[in-house]
Amino acid sequence: QVQLVESGGGLVQAGGSLRLSCVASGSIFNINVMGWYRQAPGKQRELVATIVSGRMPNYADSVKGRFTISRDNSKNTVNLQMNSLKPEDTAIYYCSVNALRTGGLQYRDYWGQGTQVTVSS
């Protein structure tokens, strides 16, 4: 299996910063897409940012210029640096990877348990 563990969530005032990290472990042969999604109360889960090695990252319009996604392939980690946070950024943030397990036949999506980010006004 592939396990994802997120860290770095918390409570911050508007205008502040947080850095989320996610480590993927298990029988991983290769990871294609790594990304962050979020789900606010009463809303659907939405894409925040994704990154593929060798390509420009993809961001939701609402976070462009404020959030930066990065990955370290040697450590199977993906990070999300969040600056200039707004109350509307409050949500549970989920890490996701599209990965091929060792011995697997196809890539699958895996999800972390989520980490709470709360931005106070």
Side-chain angles (χ1 to χ4, degrees):
Q1 263 292 9
V2 176
Q3 297 84 36
L4 303 180
V5 178
E6 301 113 332
S7 62
L11 173 64
V12 65
Q13 288 188 333
S17 299
L18 283 174
R19 182 178 176 85
L20 305 182
S21 294
C22 174
V23 180
S25 62
S27 303
I28 299 171
F29 181 77
N30 188 57
I31 298 176
N32 181 18
V33 185
M34 306 187 83
W36 290 93
Y37 293 74
R38 67 186 181 186
Q39 187 166 18
K43 294 187 177 181
Q44 291 188 332
R45 190 172 299 188
E46 63 176 4
L47 179 148
V48 176
T50 58
I51 185 169
V52 177
S53 292
R55 298 183 184 180
M56 294 294 290
N58 176 52
Y59 295 97
D61 288 342
S62 59
V63 307
K64 283 181 180 177
R66 301 188 297 121
F67 291 10
T68 302
I69 189 171
S70 61
R71 64 188 283 176
D72 184 338
N73 292 330
S74 67
K75 298 179 181 178
N76 286 340
T77 62
V78 59
N79 302 305
L80 186 68
Q81 178 65 42
M82 304 185 294
N83 299 328
S84 302
L85 282 161
K86 305 175 181 179
E88 50 264 43
D89 294 318
T90 296
I92 299 175
Y93 284 69
Y94 297 91
C95 172
S96 178
V97 302
N98 181 253
L100 178 65
R101 291 176 54 195
T102 302
L105 298 178
Q106 59 186 9
Y107 283 80
R108 288 184 54 194
D109 292 332
Y110 298 89
W111 293 86
Q113 293 296 311
T115 184
Q116 178 70 47
V117 171
T118 302
V119 184
S120 63
S121 56

